[in-house]
Amino acid sequence: MGVQIEEGFLDYFCGLEDPRSRRNQRYSVSEILLVTLSAAICGAEGWQDVEDFGHAKRDFLRSILPFRNGIPSDDTFRRFFRAIDTEKFQDLFRAWIEGIRPSLTEGVIAIDGKSSRHSFDGDKKMLHMISAYASEAGLVLAQEKVADKSNEITAIPKLLDWLDVRSSVVTIDAMGCQTQIAEKIQHKGGDYVFALKRNQDGLFEDISLYFEDEDHRQSCATLIHHDKGHGRLEERRIWVCQDVGWLTQRHPQWRSIRGFLCIESRRTIKGKTTTETRYYITSLKASPQKCLAAVRSHWAIENGLHWVLDVSFGEDQSRIRKHNAPHAMAIIRHIAFNLLKAQKNAMKRQSIKRLRKMGGWSNDTLTQILSQKSS
């Protein structure tokens, strides 16, 4: 064996149990995972793609693992991932992240959900996953599937059980603006910034009415930020109020609030200006600069993760939809994303899209990607 994937993903995922009967185990779990992940890194989207990639890269793959029985067929990949224990797979993903990047305990952790729009099958709903994303590092830290008859409110606490949020700021959109989620974050040593909408009616009304008063705005710490690019001019004005005594008195269940803020965005594109006003609550007693930075970091999960999964990985168009396979492949894509992002950090000028092409073209580049420790 010529290629050594030092401390690679196989060292962490070799503990995954094989769901197949023994008579069908012509290929090891490690061999199936290596082909699937390598193929996903290099652009494969379906099971036939994975098999074709395996045949095209057979010599390379054999430099890492034996593949004594050749490359698995598309049906083998299909059956394996339909039966895989996705809860165990998630556990191993989290152990892998903790092992290769143990120092991600500061900065912003954005939590948000995403649906795989073509993963529905008959009466089975499309896959909806909640992901935790380290905004500064650009890495997926963990994921949790939303149960078919549940919603993000029940999935987020399960995700938080796995996360180390000490010294971090956790940002969540309005769906996750819940007292029990706030308490869990603080109990684990973190802080939060939550988007606020009408799902918290009384709280939303009080804060929105407060900022409608010009005298109140004048008493707040404020900041104006300008952003320009791609034919767009955007002005963001933020007001932060830390006078929360009256608010927590009216809403004692929100005793962890240390500030609330209003962000007014004025966007001008081709001479047309639109204005949007958003409200947030936070456990931080922080400056407008830090609050705005946390809010903007949350948007990174949409632009830096969800957009890449859809546009580069084709997740929304994937027709993998039977049994556990959509969930398993979502985790595979997260592994591939993290490895590519770590390689991108080492090769600043390359995009994720180009790195995937280079991995397919060059065995040396693919080896580098698979060997990334995300440090």
Side-chain angles (χ1 to χ4, degrees):
M1 293 191 191
V3 177
Q4 296 295 318
I5 307 298
E6 183 182 0
E7 292 187 25
F9 78 102
L10 292 177
D11 297 310
Y12 289 89
F13 290 94
C14 62
L16 190 64
E17 293 183 8
D18 196 328
R20 301 166 297 168
S21 64
R22 290 198 174 276
R23 65 185 177 86
N24 292 327
Q25 293 181 12
R26 298 184 64 217
Y27 311 96
S28 70
V29 171
S30 292
E31 287 173 335
I32 291 174
L33 290 177
L34 176 62
V35 180
T36 307
L37 176 60
S38 300
I41 287 170
C42 297
E45 296 179 358
W47 302 126
Q48 188 60 59
D49 285 357
V50 175
E51 180 187 350
D52 291 346
F53 173 89
H55 288 298
K57 290 285 188 178
R58 181 171 49 207
D59 291 342
F60 169 78
L61 295 167
R62 279 180 169 165
S63 71
I64 302 171
L65 293 174
F67 289 93
R68 294 186 180 91
N69 293 308
I71 299 300
S73 69
D74 63 323
D75 282 337
T76 298
F77 292 113
R78 187 178 292 110
R79 287 193 301 268
F80 177 85
F81 284 104
R82 284 179 181 179
I84 199 174
D85 183 344
T86 49
E87 292 300 318
K88 179 65 173 178
F89 202 15
Q90 284 193 156
D91 293 349
L92 294 172
F93 176 93
R94 293 155 180 159
W96 172 65
I97 282 293
E98 290 174 3
I100 63 176
R101 190 65 186 253
S103 59
L104 283 174
T105 55
E106 296 184 358
V108 173
I109 298 175
I111 294 178
D112 199 15
K114 180 184 181 300
S115 294
S116 299
R117 299 194 182 278
H118 282 81
S119 60
F120 61 87
D121 182 40
D123 294 335
K124 183 181 177 183
K125 292 183 179 179
M126 69 181 73
L127 175 72
H128 190 74
M129 297 276 284
I130 303 294
S131 299
Y133 183 71
S135 296
E136 285 82 356
L139 296 176
V140 182
L141 302 180
Q143 65 284 115
E144 182 71 32
K145 179 186 175 184
V146 177
D148 286 347
K149 295 183 179 180
S150 185
N151 57 38
E152 293 186 9
I153 296 173
T154 58
I156 291 172
K158 294 179 183 178
L159 185 64
L160 287 169
D161 286 338
W162 289 97
L163 287 174
D164 181 358
V165 299
R166 290 173 296 174
S167 304
S168 297
V169 179
V170 179
T171 61
I172 309 178
D173 65 14
M175 174 66 82
C177 184
Q178 306 289 329
T179 54
Q180 67 272 27
I181 293 175
E183 290 168 4
K184 180 174 283 260
I185 291 169
Q186 291 222 293
H187 179 72
K188 298 194 70 173
D191 282 295
Y192 65 81
V193 175
F194 291 165
L196 181 64
K197 290 186 179 177
R198 294 188 184 277
N199 62 324
Q200 292 286 339
D201 280 342
L203 189 63
F204 177 88
E205 293 296 335
D206 283 345
I207 289 176
S208 60
L209 285 172
Y210 180 92
F211 283 115
E212 286 177 11
D213 188 313
E214 188 60 33
D215 289 338
H216 289 161
R217 290 196 180 201
Q218 291 292 335
S219 67
C220 295
T222 188
L223 172 72
I224 300 176
H225 178 270
H226 293 94
D227 193 10
K228 184 178 181 180
H230 304 290
R232 168 184 54 83
L233 176 63
E234 188 162 2
E235 177 187 281
R236 299 186 187 94
R237 185 185 294 263
I238 179 173
W239 295 268
V240 177
C241 179
Q242 296 176 347
D243 177 17
V244 299
W246 65 274
L247 188 65
T248 54
Q249 187 175 14
R250 286 176 58 83
H251 304 277
Q253 73 274 27
W254 282 106
R255 59 184 178 274
S256 62
I257 292 177
R258 295 293 176 269
F260 55 95
L261 46 145
C262 170
I263 298 179
E264 186 177 271
S265 299
R266 292 173 57 85
R267 177 177 295 183
T268 302
I269 303 176
K270 295 181 179 180
K272 183 179 180 180
T273 299
T274 57
T275 301
E276 182 181 15
T277 302
R278 298 181 296 276
Y279 304 101
Y280 301 83
I281 57 173
T282 180
S283 62
L284 293 168
K285 201 163 187 176
S287 66
Q289 289 89 341
K290 185 170 183 178
C291 290
L292 181 59
V295 171
R296 296 191 71 195
S297 291
H298 181 80
W299 300 336
I301 195 171
E302 285 290 342
N303 300 327
L305 175 62
H306 295 167
W307 187 87
V308 172
L309 289 174
D310 280 342
V311 174
S312 184
F313 285 82
E315 183 170 79
D316 257 1
Q317 300 305 314
S318 174
R319 297 300 292 169
I320 295 174
R321 58 189 186 276
K322 294 284 188 181
H323 306 297
N324 292 341
H327 188 181
M329 284 308 299
I331 298 171
I332 288 283
R333 291 187 198 101
H334 282 172
I335 300 170
F337 174 89
N338 280 354
L339 291 172
L340 286 160
K341 193 61 182 283
Q343 181 69 13
K344 183 180 184 298
N345 291 340
M347 301 171 66
K348 300 293 186 183
R349 296 181 60 187
Q350 302 299 339
S351 66
I352 295 290
K353 182 178 180 180
R354 183 162 178 79
L355 277 175
R356 297 183 79 198
K357 292 179 180 178
M358 292 173 65
W361 296 332
S362 165
N363 290 343
D364 288 342
T365 300
L366 182 54
T367 299
Q368 291 173 15
I369 294 169
L370 289 169
S371 301
Q372 281 298 320
K373 301 179 185 179
S374 302
S375 58

